Amino acid sequence: MADTEVDGSLKNSSHLEPSTLLTPPCNGAETENLSPESSANERPVNSASGSLSAARSQLLRMLEAAEARRSAYLLSTEEASAASDEAAREAPRTETQIQAPKQPQEFNERLTRTGRRSLSHSLSHSSGDKRSSESLEDEVSPRNKEQKNSDGSKDFCIKNIHQAAFGRREIEIAELEMPALMILRKAAQGEKPLVGARIVGCTHITAHTAVLMETLSALGAQCRWAACNIYSIQNEVAAALAERGVPVFAWKGESEDDYFWCIDSCVNVEGWEPNLILDDGGDMTHWIYKKYPQLLKNIKGIVEESVTGVHRLHQLYKTGKLCGPAINVNESVIKQKFDNFYFCKESILDGLKRTTDVTLSGKQVLVCGYGEVGKGCCAALKGLRAIVYVTEVDPICALQACMDGFQLARLNEVIEMVDIVITCTGNINVVLREHLEHMKNGCIVCNMGHSNTEIDVTSLMTPELTWRRIRAHVDHIIWPDGKIIVLLAEGRLLNLSCSTVPVYVLSITATTQVLALIELFNAPERGYKQDIYVFPRKMDEFVAALHLQNFDAHLTELTDEQVKYIGVNKNGPFKPSYYRY
């Protein structure tokens, strides 16, 4: 084959099928040596090494041609055409002399001006001298700018209302994984059981909670919302809610002052008073007690879904300050066995890998607490062949940990050798400064409990320690001797700050919240006392039945004889309230 023929084939290499390029020659057949050093007068190479050399050489030429095409694409149409013609006429034929065309000056200047922004983001702006609207948005606090939705409403405070279309798509995806709430919406098209309800909420602002809020609105309620976690907020979802007319006050990365300002903005509004509270952690409830006690007389009930929030409700009850009935959704069977376990089982791995890129196989991991959250975390880590230790105060949970194959230990017994520490207790000061002092270099510390109280982060804010932000939600705490501790999400909730959320599991919890609000709002006068109630077992079973419709599942029906024998109703509940699954 002549050199001109070889060059012609390389010009059109993008049209060659991979199988044609990589198919080895038949034994005994003459094969042309396509090395750049060969000429038309050289004899063909029949050996295996010659065949490999020919294939290698041809692949090199393909890569060079692809690089030339990629670089030429960055030029203007006329420049690219001229460069291609010039390259075709004058391109050298030796491997060492082939060079990709240089990037045009305009591109280089634009890349310098945009700094750390992505290449695609840089190319999307025709003028390199103008700063993007997104950059300008980042510099202005949402509290200091005026926004309005397409209907002219300004009753919200979010990062950027222009993200609403993106957030709407996120919500539509979540709706596909939340079948029970969609069924409740359809069932309420006639009768709206929450007409007259004014719900103030403080939960995570994510796509799945947006489906919850819009379900409450579809059932007739008026809602105002703030976030219970400054890192779990999806700005685009908040924008979609604001565009639909939901007064939402939240943006990712709020300061502590911003956080309570947003809660206050939900409550402190003229001509509107809440009569139901949906809380996750108790901050909304306590803010009303602290700042607006006059509103308590109209509160028909509180729904709380976290360990921390339930603990705070019991404190109010013991001091006689509980304003009305409260339903403890957190300790319902359906939440404990599904949200706490399966949600954490999936999100712990995702959160660790997204933030640290860590390989978990063979790592020594300490999980503090073996409740349902701890069980989920341990099961996931064990599945990836991590070596898992557990700390626990409850002998029943401790025995479960041992019989599940985990080593029970005290924190100070293993703290010097573990690679990762995960708190799952819902308590305070589980990991102290003294424990952090004894951790090995590079140890990862994170929290899967509700609030940021489990890890004593405050003790790390001292002059001798250096904080270095590595990436979003990842800080290196550097000791004077050079030791580094990797702290995730500043000790806040890892699975909702640094991970995607398994929406189907959260659909179960959201459905319990909706049903609890309906129950409290429609209860007869004095139907519930000023007390804390556990979610009824019958409603647990109803939530489960709604979600079974997503599976090809067929429930068995009891016969009349069986019903009489075990003493239950044929339609449930099938277990007494004291039964623990």
Side-chain angles (χ1 to χ4, degrees), residues 170-184:
E170 294 277 339
I171 294 170
E172 288 170 354
I173 292 172
E175 287 176 346
L176 298 174
E177 282 286 286
M178 305 187 79
L181 292 185
M182 306 313 290
I183 291 171
L184 288 178

Side-chain angles (χ1 to χ4, degrees), residues 361-425:
S361 300
K363 288 291 191 297
Q364 299 193 77
V365 185
L366 175 63
V367 176
C368 301
Y370 203 68
E372 295 303 322
V373 172
K375 288 182 176 73
C377 292
C378 288
L381 293 163
K382 184 178 181 180
L384 286 187
R385 301 298 186 266
I387 302 164
V388 182
Y389 301 90
V390 172
T391 69
E392 183 53 72
V393 298
D394 185 333
I396 296 175
C397 294
L399 181 59
Q400 285 180 306
C402 291
M403 296 189 71
D404 285 340
F406 301 110
Q407 177 65 51
L408 190 73
R410 294 190 178 96
L411 198 150
N412 58 6
E413 294 173 345
V414 295
I415 195 65
E416 294 182 357
M417 64 182 185
V418 294
D419 303 293
I420 303 172
V421 177
I422 304 169
T423 57
C424 309
T425 67

Side-chain angles (χ1 to χ4, degrees), residues 76-213:
S76 65
T77 305
E78 292 182 0
E79 290 174 324
S81 178
S84 297
D85 293 340
E86 188 69 18
R89 290 193 300 268
E90 299 180 8
R93 292 176 183 168
T94 62
E95 291 180 14
T96 57
Q97 291 176 338
I98 295 177
Q99 297 180 355
K102 293 183 178 180
Q103 295 172 341
Q105 185 66 21
E106 181 187 357
F107 173 81
N108 288 329
E109 290 176 357
R110 186 160 58 240
L111 186 60
T112 301
R113 281 192 296 268
T114 55
R116 295 177 62 184
R117 284 182 290 166
S118 68
L119 176 61
S120 61
H121 184 84
S122 303
L123 291 175
S124 67
H125 293 79
S126 58
S127 173
D129 294 328
K130 294 182 180 179
R131 301 179 62 194
S132 69
S133 59
E134 183 178 349
S135 298
L136 292 174
E137 289 284 349
D138 290 340
E139 293 182 2
V140 181
S141 170
R143 291 170 61 175
N144 298 327
K145 62 184 179 183
E146 188 175 282
Q147 298 182 73
K148 61 182 178 180
N149 64 14
S150 57
D151 292 330
S153 173
K154 300 177 182 178
D155 190 16
F156 61 88
C157 190
I158 59 173
K159 190 69 173 179
N160 187 350
I161 190 64
H162 300 299
Q163 294 180 318
F166 176 31
R168 180 51 51 190
R169 292 192 291 271
E170 294 277 339
I171 294 170
E172 288 170 354
I173 292 172
E175 287 176 346
L176 298 174
E177 282 286 286
M178 305 187 79
L181 292 185
M182 306 313 290
I183 291 171
L184 288 178
R185 288 189 194 182
K186 291 180 180 178
Q189 287 178 351
E191 180 184 357
K192 296 186 182 296
L194 288 177
V195 170
R198 297 181 299 278
I199 303 171
V200 64
C202 185
T203 66
H204 300 281
I205 305 293
T206 58
H208 81 275
T209 53
V211 179
L212 163 64
M213 290 179 229

Side-chain angles (χ1 to χ4, degrees), residues 202-419:
C202 185
T203 66
H204 300 281
I205 305 293
T206 58
H208 81 275
T209 53
V211 179
L212 163 64
M213 290 179 229
E214 293 186 343
T215 299
L216 293 172
S217 297
L219 297 177
Q222 298 176 24
C223 301
R224 298 180 68 84
W225 230 264
C228 71
N229 185 297
I230 66 173
Y231 290 133
S232 65
I233 302 163
Q234 291 178 270
N235 287 329
E236 65 277 10
V237 170
L241 289 168
E243 178 61 28
R244 285 286 178 92
V246 178
V248 57
F249 300 83
W251 59 92
K252 191 165 188 174
E254 300 167 354
S255 66
E256 184 174 346
D257 182 61
D258 291 334
Y259 176 79
F260 287 106
W261 179 88
C262 289
I263 290 177
D264 188 78
S265 297
C266 287
V267 181
N268 185 18
V269 54
E270 187 176 351
W272 192 92
E273 292 185 1
N275 52 25
L276 288 171
I277 300 173
L278 178 56
D279 222 345
D280 187 343
D283 284 338
M284 179 64 75
T285 302
H286 274 259
W287 188 258
I288 293 175
Y289 271 96
K290 179 181 177 181
K291 295 290 185 179
Y292 307 102
Q294 71 276 10
L295 299 179
L296 298 177
K297 63 180 184 296
N298 293 323
I299 299 296
K300 296 183 65 115
I302 303 167
V303 175
E304 173 60 58
E305 75 148 321
S306 74
V307 173
T308 305
V310 170
H311 176 68
R312 298 173 80 178
L313 285 177
H314 279 289
Q315 289 178 327
L316 289 174
Y317 176 75
K318 289 176 182 178
T319 57
K321 295 180 180 179
L322 189 64
C323 65
I327 292 184
N328 171 6
V329 171
N330 177 71
E331 293 177 17
S332 66
V333 171
I334 197 74
K335 182 181 185 295
Q336 287 283 321
K337 297 299 178 182
F338 293 90
D339 185 332
N340 290 19
F341 181 80
Y342 289 103
F343 180 18
C344 296
K345 182 179 179 181
E346 295 197 17
S347 60
I348 180 62
L349 302 181
D350 186 43
L352 285 171
K353 288 185 174 293
R354 280 175 184 265
T355 51
T356 64
D357 306 316
V358 66
T359 298
L360 294 168
S361 300
K363 288 291 191 297
Q364 299 193 77
V365 185
L366 175 63
V367 176
C368 301
Y370 203 68
E372 295 303 322
V373 172
K375 288 182 176 73
C377 292
C378 288
L381 293 163
K382 184 178 181 180
L384 286 187
R385 301 298 186 266
I387 302 164
V388 182
Y389 301 90
V390 172
T391 69
E392 183 53 72
V393 298
D394 185 333
I396 296 175
C397 294
L399 181 59
Q400 285 180 306
C402 291
M403 296 189 71
D404 285 340
F406 301 110
Q407 177 65 51
L408 190 73
R410 294 190 178 96
L411 198 150
N412 58 6
E413 294 173 345
V414 295
I415 195 65
E416 294 182 357
M417 64 182 185
V418 294
D419 303 293

